[in-house]
């Protein structure tokens, strides 16, 4: 296999393999600009609040540059285009219409209406899941430099996790989520960042890490497998809007949505730990109830402390 050799130290040799650095020729098919805006809007309406996927205004600015500025850096940035295409794929999962595909049989020379029965409609095969074309293009661009991961790689993996999960591809979602979690560890996102970091950057890193944690727990629980994040590993506060400068607030959705999602996921992790131990105490029902009561109490307190805008009364329907 071909390779480049770099001498970074007299006693250290670093190999850079071509499959990590090669950039094959590829042609992409992006949607028209109005439809691109619609897909981004759909994605943000239906799934933007629950997690943090990217900085909103920065993403929109880069998308505009991709479409409106020929030869821009965005139009040549494969990592950015990969992320953009997965967002389009996710947005299309919430579009409730499809482009019709009509197959007509052979016709005769008879005037219209006289030989109507001779025209046959062929049954079209089932269309692929929404967003598939965009996601396949994104995967063709995705290359993960495991020795030098970045925050953008984690954002891409989080998006790929949710899209795969939405298609019921739970094993693929679990793999993407696990890689994202490990990259969080490598970049130290689960640790408190230095005070020298700008407030915008600190909040962004925090929310990306918590999103990775929630997705990792969601996908691992579905399969009954261990998550990549250990319980109690994350040393971060909950997301907050209070530390942001006014001009940075539009980069995020309200922190309350993600905060309650994190709290619910942490309780789920605690419940899963209890369930793992249940087999050893299943014959002692009173002891089992005693052990489960703190989790149930936390859930009741969580529901009671929900912000008014997020409360839902199941009995009354609102």
């Amino acid at each position: 296999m071909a390779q480049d050799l770099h001498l970074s130290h007299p006693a250290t040799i670093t190999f850079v393999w071509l499959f990590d650095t090669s950039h094959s020729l590829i042609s992409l098919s992006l949607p028209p600009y109005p439809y691109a805006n619609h897909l981004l809007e759909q994605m943000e309406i239906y799934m933007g609040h629950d997690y943090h996927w990217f900085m909103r205004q920065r993403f929109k600015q880069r998308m505009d540059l991709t479409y409106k500025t020929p030869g821009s850096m965005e139009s040549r940035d494969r990592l950015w285009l990969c992320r953009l295409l997965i967002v389009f794929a996710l947005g299309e999962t919430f579009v409730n219409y499809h482009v019709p595909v009509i197959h007509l049989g052979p016709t005769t020379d008879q005037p219209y209406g006289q030989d109507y029965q001779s025209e046959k409609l062929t049954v079209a095969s089932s269309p692929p899941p929404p967003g598939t074309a965009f996601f396949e293009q994104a995967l063709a661009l995705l290359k993960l430099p495991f020795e030098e991961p970045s925050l953008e790689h984690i954002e891409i993996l989080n998006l790929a996790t949710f899209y795969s999960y939405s298609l019921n591809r739970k094993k693929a979602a679990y793999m993407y989520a696990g890689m994202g979690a490990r990259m969080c560890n490598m970049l130290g996102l689960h640790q408190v960042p230095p005070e020298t970091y700008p407030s915008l950057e600190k909040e962004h890193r925090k929310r990306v890490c918590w999103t990775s944690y929630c997705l990792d727990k969601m996908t691992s629980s579905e399969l009954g497998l261990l998550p990549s994040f250990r319980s109690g590993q994350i040393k971060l506060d909950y997301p907050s809007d209070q530390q942001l400068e006014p001009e940075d607030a539009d980069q995020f959705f309200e922190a309350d949505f993600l905060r309650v999602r994190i709290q619910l996921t942490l309780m789920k992790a605690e419940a899963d730990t209890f369930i793992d131990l249940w087999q050893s105490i299943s014959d002692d029902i009173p002891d089992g109830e005693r052990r489960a009561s703190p989790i149930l109490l936390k859930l009741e307190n969580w529901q009671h402390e929900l912000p008014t805008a997020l409360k839902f009364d199941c009995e009354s329907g609102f």
Side-chain angles (χ1 to χ4, degrees):
M1 181 178 294
Q3 62 193 43
D4 293 328
L5 181 64
H6 298 274
L7 300 179
S8 57
H9 186 275
T12 303
I13 299 177
T14 302
F15 292 93
V16 181
W17 301 98
L18 286 183
F19 63 74
D20 285 333
T21 58
S22 62
H23 295 292
S24 57
L25 181 64
I26 185 172
S27 296
L28 302 176
S29 178
L30 299 182
Y33 182 68
Y35 188 48
N37 275 311
H38 178 64
L39 293 177
L40 176 59
E41 182 182 61
Q42 293 295 103
M43 183 267 188
E44 289 200 322
I45 288 174
Y46 289 103
M47 55 178 287
H49 293 80
D50 288 343
Y51 301 100
H52 174 66
W53 306 106
F54 43 74
M55 285 194 272
R56 299 176 60 204
Q57 297 306 315
R58 188 175 296 180
F59 187 95
K60 184 62 168 63
Q61 290 167 1
R62 296 193 71 183
M63 190 178 84
D64 286 345
L65 285 171
T66 304
Y67 276 86
K68 298 181 179 181
T69 307
S72 66
M73 289 295 296
E74 279 70 20
S75 64
R76 300 191 300 273
D77 186 337
R78 294 183 176 227
L79 205 57
W80 154 250
L81 292 171
C82 175
R83 184 162 50 134
L84 179 66
L85 285 163
I86 301 179
V87 169
F88 289 159
L90 284 164
E92 201 163 68
T93 62
F94 300 103
V95 174
N96 58 1
Y97 57 84
H98 302 281
V99 177
V101 178
I102 301 175
H103 299 276
L104 299 177
T107 60
T108 67
D109 294 332
Q110 298 290 334
Y112 179 77
Q114 293 184 10
D115 195 21
Y116 180 76
Q117 295 299 326
S118 66
E119 189 172 281
K120 298 179 180 179
L121 291 176
T122 59
V123 179
S125 59
S126 299
T132 300
F134 295 131
F135 191 66
E136 288 178 346
Q137 291 184 89
L139 292 184
L141 293 170
L142 180 59
K143 291 188 180 294
L144 298 174
F146 296 114
E147 289 296 326
E148 297 180 353
S150 69
L151 200 61
E152 193 168 6
H153 288 106
I154 300 173
E155 292 175 0
I156 289 172
L157 289 168
N158 286 344
L159 291 164
T161 296
F162 203 91
Y163 181 75
S164 299
Y165 187 83
S166 71
L167 298 186
N168 202 33
R169 296 179 59 84
K170 296 180 181 179
K171 294 178 182 178
Y174 174 73
M175 295 297 291
Y176 287 132
M179 286 189 288
R182 284 174 170 80
M183 287 187 178
C184 283
N185 289 334
M186 292 178 67
L187 295 178
L189 298 191
H190 61 294
Q191 302 287 353
V192 178
E195 288 297 326
T196 55
Y197 278 38
S199 59
L200 175 64
E201 185 67 18
K202 287 193 289 187
E203 189 65 24
H204 177 50
R205 289 166 60 93
K206 178 199 300 182
R207 296 194 190 200
V208 168
C209 185
W210 276 121
T211 295
S212 294
Y213 170 80
C214 292
L215 295 176
D216 179 46
K217 185 59 189 172
M218 176 184 73
T219 55
S220 60
S221 295
E222 287 280 342
L223 296 174
L225 300 173
L226 291 174
S228 296
F229 273 119
R230 291 183 289 105
S231 179
Q233 178 182 354
I234 299 180
K235 308 301 181 184
L236 302 171
D237 295 331
Y238 291 132
S240 172
D241 300 323
Q242 298 179 359
Q243 305 300 323
L244 295 172
E245 299 294 335
E247 62 271 17
D248 294 333
D250 288 343
Q251 298 286 2
F252 306 95
F253 282 105
E254 299 88 342
D256 285 344
F257 290 92
L258 181 54
R259 176 177 55 81
V260 298
R261 169 73 67 179
I262 295 165
Q263 292 170 340
L264 196 59
T265 303
L266 290 171
M267 285 186 284
K268 178 177 175 58
E270 190 174 349
D272 285 347
T273 301
F274 170 74
I275 292 171
D276 289 339
L277 297 173
W278 176 255
Q279 187 174 5
S280 63
I281 62 173
S282 58
D283 294 332
D284 189 353
I285 300 300
D287 187 54
E289 293 177 351
R290 178 183 61 81
R291 290 171 180 264
S293 60
I295 304 174
L296 297 176
L297 181 60
K298 284 183 180 180
L299 183 59
E300 291 177 1
N301 291 336
W302 172 85
Q303 186 177 16
H304 178 72
E305 295 171 0
L306 280 175
T308 304
L310 301 182
K311 287 184 180 293
F312 181 82
D313 189 340
C314 295
E315 294 183 0
S316 62
F318 58 87

